[in-house]
């Protein structure tokens, strides 16, 4: 679909090392300018076709002279588009344009005192002496002809350089990192003073534009969306509903593996709150039947995933009308997917901005049955996770949905180790509800999704796990032989690594005593104190 956010004004971040690009793009968007990330091997012609207003070269872990170090198409510097390079971005700019890079005697890691030299529009309004964030071993030893050096540190003689006549700017330090005292001012100067951009990436405008674009695209057609309970599909539903009202039907497949209260909350928010036509399919028995006797986690995942789409498409065909259903056809034309921008970046699908390959690759993941065809709407495919949340809040979704913890698609099925039974599900749901309630009550706001924020780590997920063992206990005068509950709470910023959360002892004690007292069938609570790696966040 033509995105309203494919504007004339767009900053392209060339990514020289996976973890940097997203942070830079987020910072630029925080300054209300739309930004996209592309891999660093993009050619000048491909880049030019994206019509960027400015280009940013990210940092990266390589050494510019290493054999397999990422290069840059030198013609990019001749496009007449302003370029700003950070760290590796400065070094690659230097060597490509005839300067040199060398090993510094000592590396420079962390905060460093910087001194400005001369006038620079990039540093406009910032003091002569300031703190910047460095992370490098190599540094530019001679700037290319035409460049002037605009700052230095004790270790790094060329901490920044520029050739304003060609609108080329670079810093050895990282302005995108919060520890660079005036980093935001520098980005602001680059976007607004040097490139002359306007603040156009604004949530209210974005909603307006998206609503118009969805209306134009859909016309009078009918649209269907699978609500999973997760943030992305919820926000996509609220947005599409804002655009086309009752032309949208949502389907929620209740597989019985969600946390306590979640199916009810979906009904409450979407059907009663928003008034969205919502079809809830109670598939709990169907799933329990399919999962009976299954102990292998991957098989559980596969069954739940494939059955979900089966149930969903049965409904889609039914919604299409009895007549169409008889012919095995589906009259609903559009399927909304809650694909978000990091999904696109990670799948590497949009190197040149071409949408076709993206749609194909995502569509391929959905097992669309024979005779059924959908066109896809992906209204969130330009948004980062925290922008999706902001959009959700602006559309009136409650915090319990907008700030929901990451939750695996197969849900509690992979938190019950071994076979899933009705009894075990009931135990886990009750215990998990206590874990959530007590951690939330102990520290409102404890759970805060940090997304790609650079430094902060906070509690990322907290939940209960039901292992496949029984242990002996004593309750009153009776000996018991019952289930333990494992409590898992981790801090993380991206789920790639995680550390177990140092929850207060009193809180742990309260959770433990409540679970044992209130959940029949449980006589013991253990706390998982393993980090990832070597463990994973989930138990299966
Ligand atoms: P692990 O256990 O691999 O989890 O450390 C990392 C993150 O991924 C989530 N997770 C899943 N999400 N389907 C999902 O949609 C799954 O099968 C799945 N397994 C793990 C997990 O909750 C954590 O946030």
């Amino acid at each position: 679909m033509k995105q309203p956010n494919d504007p004339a004004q767009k900053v392209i971040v060339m990514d020289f090392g996976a973890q940097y690009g997203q942070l830079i793009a987020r910072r630029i968007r925080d300054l209300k300018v739309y930004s996209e990330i592309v891999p660093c091997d993009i050619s000048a012609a491909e880049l030019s076709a994206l019509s960027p207003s400015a280009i940013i070269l990210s940092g990266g872990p390589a050494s510019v002279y290493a054999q397999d170090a990422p290069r840059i198409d030198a013609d990019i510097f001749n496009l007449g588009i302003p370029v700003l390079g950070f760290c590796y971005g400065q070094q690659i700019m230097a060597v490509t344009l005839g300067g040199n890079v060398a090993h510094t005697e000592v590396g420079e890691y962390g905060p460093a005192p910087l001194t400005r030299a001369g006038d620079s529009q990039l540093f406009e309004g910032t003091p002569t002496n300031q703190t910047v964030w460095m992370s490098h071993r190599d540094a530019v030893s001679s700037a290319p002809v035409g460049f002037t050096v605009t700052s230095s540190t004790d270790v790094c003689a060329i901490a920044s350089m520029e050739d304003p006549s060609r609108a080329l700017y670079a810093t050895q330090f990282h302005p995108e990192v919060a520890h660079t005292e005036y980093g935001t001012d520098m980005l602001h100067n680059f976007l607004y003073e040097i490139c002359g951009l306007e603040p156009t990436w604004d949530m209210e405008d974005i909603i307006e534009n998206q609503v118009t674009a969805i209306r134009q695209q859909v016309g009078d057609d009918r649209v269907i969306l699978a609500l999973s309970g997760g943030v992305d599909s919820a926000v996509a539903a609220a947005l599409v509903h804002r655009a086309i009202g009752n032309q949208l039907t949502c389907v929620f497949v209740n597989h019985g593996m969600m946390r306590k209260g979640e199916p009810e909350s979906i009904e409450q928010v979407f059907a009663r709150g928003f008034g969205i036509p919502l079809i809830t399919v109670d598939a709990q028995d169907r799933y329990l039947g399919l999962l009976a006797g299954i102990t292998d986690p991957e098989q559980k995942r596969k069954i739940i995933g494939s059955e979900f789409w089966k149930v969903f498409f049965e409904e889609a065909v039914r919604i299409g009308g009895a007549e169409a259903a008889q012919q095995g056809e589906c009259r609903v034309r559009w399927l909304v997917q809650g694909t978000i921008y990091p999904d696109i970046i990670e799948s590497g699908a949009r190197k040149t901005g071409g949408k076709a390959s993206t749609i194909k690759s995502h569509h391929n993941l959905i097992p669309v049955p024979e005779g059924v065809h959908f066109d896809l709407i992906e209204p969130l495919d330009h948004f980062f996770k925290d922008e999706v949340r902001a959009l959700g809040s602006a559309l009136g979704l409650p915090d319990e949905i907008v700030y929901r913890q990451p939750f695996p698609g197969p849900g509690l099925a992979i938190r019950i180790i071994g076979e899933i039974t009705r009894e075990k599900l009931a135990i886990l749901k009750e215990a998990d509800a206590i874990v959530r309630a007590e951690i939330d009550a102990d520290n409102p706001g404890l759970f805060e999704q940090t997304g790609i924020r650079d430094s902060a780590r906070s509690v990322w997920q907290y939940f209960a796990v039901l292992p496949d063992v029984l242990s002996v206990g004593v309750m009153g005068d009776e000996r018991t032989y019952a289930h333990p509950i494992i409590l898992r709470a981790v801090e993380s910023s991206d789920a790639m690594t995680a550390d177990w959360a140092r929850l207060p002892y009193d809180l742990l004690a309260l959770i433990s005593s409540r679970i044992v007292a209130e959940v029949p069938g449980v006589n013991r609570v253990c706390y998982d104190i393993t980090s990832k790696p070597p463990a994973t966040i989930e138990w299966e």
Side-chain angles (χ1 to χ4, degrees), residues 395-469:
L395 288 163
L397 286 173
D399 282 359
E400 75 200 43
I401 287 184
V402 169
Y403 291 100
R404 186 181 190 244
Q405 294 185 34
F407 186 66
L412 301 182
I414 58 162
R415 292 179 182 169
I416 293 173
I417 314 307
E419 187 182 3
I420 298 157
T421 64
R422 209 176 287 274
E423 182 224 357
K424 285 182 181 173
L425 255 176
I427 289 175
L428 184 58
K429 281 182 188 176
E430 289 306 318
D432 184 78
I434 293 172
V435 171
R436 271 191 296 159
E438 290 304 334
I439 294 181
D440 290 345
D442 183 74
N443 191 343
L446 175 71
F447 169 68
E448 183 195 351
Q449 173 96 25
T450 53
I452 56 161
R453 206 168 301 158
D454 48 334
S455 55
R457 286 166 79 89
S458 59
V459 177
W460 173 266
Q461 272 174 294
Y462 41 95
F463 53 88
V465 175
L466 184 61
D468 194 20
V469 291

Side-chain angles (χ1 to χ4, degrees), residues 9 16 26 50 220 244 267 304 323 326 332 339 361 373 396 419 426 458 460 468-469 479 526 538:
Q9 229 184 241
F16 288 88
R26 284 297 303 113
L50 298 178
D220 294 330
I244 58 165
E267 289 268 345
I304 292 177
E323 191 191 321
Q326 269 173 8
V332 180
T339 315
S361 66
H373 173 80
E419 187 182 3
S458 59
W460 173 266
D468 194 20
V469 291
R479 283 180 92 72
C526 306
E538 303 289 349

Side-chain angles (χ1 to χ4, degrees), residues 298 301 406-411 414-415 460-461 463 488 494-496 498 532 535-540:
E298 288 317 307
R301 284 187 166 87
F407 186 66
I414 58 162
R415 292 179 182 169
W460 173 266
Q461 272 174 294
F463 53 88
R488 183 79 166 136
D494 56 9
M496 302 295 285
K532 172 185 180 177
T536 49
I537 296 175
E538 303 289 349
W539 268 53
E540 279 198 334

